[in-house]
């Protein structure tokens, strides 16, 4: 069993509670216009554009005809990512759960758990399940960062070894969600309800892009939808300001929302009973 891994960040304080190791898997099933790591969306098709443009000679074609990456030569300039015509990266690796966990184990004295993101990590649930089983044996926490388009209830073994899910709700209205991502959000909301009922909804995330969708209506809808589940367990909501760093150039023109707008959205949630709200 292998997954294509984009990168492993040894220490992260923004991917769940405490200090954590964050694992990013390659491949996504939607197309968010504001995606902040678009190089994780697709698998490399070995076109070679990056090989020609790499200024350090860190990329070449191997004997198998595939792009080979020499990390010791890489200057992390990201030229390969910027020139890739397919929203991918040549710096990915195929790894087993055991190989990934060997990287995680190096940080065990200093981390509280692991978080797995993407791309969309739920496209590889069997890999996640085995990785989390390994983590649990050492007492580490386990969190999934997901766009919510894959039904969690279909994977009870994964849910058993997962502490919770950080769930993106890109827009509450299905039509607007499709405008933002290219996909409807029925499964996303069904997942939100399922996770809330089972106390697995660790966090809901909403990226605020006022020029792209009706952010006030969306946050109000999210609040109304999830407020009844606050009696089951506390639900953390993270309101995230859109920023142009890392996005595709065609979508870099959106306005960064000001702090007053973000505070107003947080106020809507407070009125509905939410207390654990973070603005970033």
């Amino acid at each position: 069993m292998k997954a294509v891994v984009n990168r492993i960040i040894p220490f992260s304080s923004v991917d769940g509670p405490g200090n954590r190791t964050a694992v990013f898997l390659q491949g996504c099933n939607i197309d968010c216009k504001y995606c902040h790591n678009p190089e994780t969306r697709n698998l490399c098709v070995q076109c070679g554009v990056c090989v020609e443009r790499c200024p350090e000679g860190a990329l070449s074609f191997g004997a198998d005809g595939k792009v080979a990456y020499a990390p010791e030569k890489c200057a992390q300039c990201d030229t390969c990512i910027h020139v890739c015509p397919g929203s991918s990266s040549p710096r990915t690796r195929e790894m087993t759960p055991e190989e990934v966990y060997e990287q995680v184990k190096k940080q065990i004295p200093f981390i509280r758990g692991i978080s797995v993101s993407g791309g969309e990590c739920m496209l590889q649930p069997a890999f996640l399940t085995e990785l989390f089983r390994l983590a649990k044996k050492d007492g580490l926490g386990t969190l999934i960062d997901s766009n919510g388009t894959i039904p969690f209830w279909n994977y009870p073994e994964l849910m058993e070894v997962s502490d919770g899910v950080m769930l993106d709700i890109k827009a509450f209205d299905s039509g607007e969600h499709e405008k933002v991502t290219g996909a409807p959000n029925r499964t996303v909301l069904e997942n939100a309800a399922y996770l809330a009922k089972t106390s697995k909804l660790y966090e809901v995330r909403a990226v605020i892009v006022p020029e792209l969708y009706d952010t006030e209506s969306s946050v109000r809808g999210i609040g109304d939808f999830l407020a009844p589940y606050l009696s089951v367990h506390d639900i953390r909501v993270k309101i995230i300001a859109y920023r142009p760093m890392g996005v595709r150039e065609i979508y870099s023109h959106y306005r960064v929302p000001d702090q007053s707008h973000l505070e107003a959205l947080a106020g809507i949630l407070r009125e509905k009973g939410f207390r654990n709200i973070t603005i970033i």
Side-chain angles (χ1 to χ4, degrees):
M1 184 194 307
K2 290 186 176 182
V4 179
V5 178
N6 180 278
R7 64 187 182 276
I8 300 174
I9 299 177
F11 301 105
S12 172
S13 60
V14 297
D15 293 288
N19 204 15
R20 311 177 74 83
T21 293
V23 180
F24 291 80
L25 302 186
Q26 188 77 10
C28 191
N29 58 339
I30 61 176
D31 184 12
C32 299
K33 287 182 169 62
Y34 57 71
C35 181
H36 287 85
N37 51 347
E39 73 281 1
T40 66
R41 291 180 52 241
N42 298 318
L43 298 179
C44 177
V45 297
Q46 317 300 328
C47 69
V49 171
C50 57
V51 174
E52 299 170 359
R53 299 287 294 277
C54 177
E56 303 297 327
L59 300 171
S60 62
F61 278 112
D64 58 0
K66 295 183 178 180
V67 176
Y69 170 53
E72 69 278 4
K73 296 181 179 180
C74 182
Q76 300 295 321
C77 65
D78 289 345
T79 297
C80 55
I81 292 173
H82 298 317
V83 301
C84 178
S87 293
S88 188
S89 168
R91 303 191 307 225
T92 60
R93 290 183 290 166
E94 283 193 351
M95 302 178 72
T96 65
E98 292 77 15
E99 288 171 335
V100 171
Y101 194 62
E102 281 300 312
Q103 299 297 312
V104 173
K105 284 174 65 175
K106 298 175 182 178
Q107 289 78 243
I108 280 183
F110 311 106
I111 60 172
R112 183 171 169 181
I114 64 173
S115 299
V116 185
S117 184
E120 175 47 50
C121 62
M122 278 300 293
L123 294 173
Q124 302 177 83
F127 179 93
L128 276 182
T129 302
E130 186 56 33
L131 176 61
F132 283 4
R133 282 174 178 158
L134 294 170
K136 283 296 182 184
K137 288 179 182 178
D138 286 329
L140 292 178
T142 53
L143 285 176
I144 298 169
D145 184 356
S146 174
N147 64 32
T149 57
I150 309 296
F152 284 99
W153 57 86
N154 284 343
Y155 302 98
E157 292 183 356
L158 174 57
M159 289 294 95
E160 186 177 341
V161 291
S162 302
D163 292 335
V165 175
M166 297 178 287
L167 183 72
D168 292 333
I169 299 182
K170 313 289 186 178
F172 186 77
D173 177 79
S174 189
E176 289 203 321
H177 190 278
E178 192 156 3
K179 174 185 175 184
V180 173
T181 70
N185 70 350
R186 178 177 176 178
T187 302
V188 178
L189 298 182
E190 289 175 346
N191 267 326
Y194 165 76
L195 294 168
K197 289 175 185 177
T198 56
S199 298
K200 294 284 188 177
L201 186 58
Y202 170 74
E203 178 179 276
V204 171
R205 295 176 169 184
V207 177
I208 306 304
V209 195
E211 294 174 314
L212 184 58
Y213 69 101
D214 188 338
T215 56
E216 180 177 339
S217 176
S218 185
V219 168
R220 194 177 300 278
I222 292 170
D224 288 336
F225 184 76
L226 291 176
Y229 300 107
L230 289 172
S231 60
V232 179
H233 76 118
D234 189 30
I235 299 172
R236 171 187 171 100
V237 181
K238 185 174 284 186
I239 296 174
I240 304 171
Y242 162 82
R243 295 173 178 86
M245 291 79 77
V247 303
R248 287 165 285 181
E249 186 175 353
I250 190 175
Y251 302 125
S252 63
H253 62 279
Y254 294 119
R255 174 176 57 86
V256 177
D258 57 37
Q259 190 67 20
S260 63
H261 183 69
L262 302 176
E263 293 287 354
L265 297 178
I268 291 172
L269 293 171
R270 292 190 188 97
E271 291 173 0
K272 299 181 184 301
F274 292 84
R275 293 293 175 263
N276 196 348
I277 304 167
T278 302
I279 297 174
I280 62 172

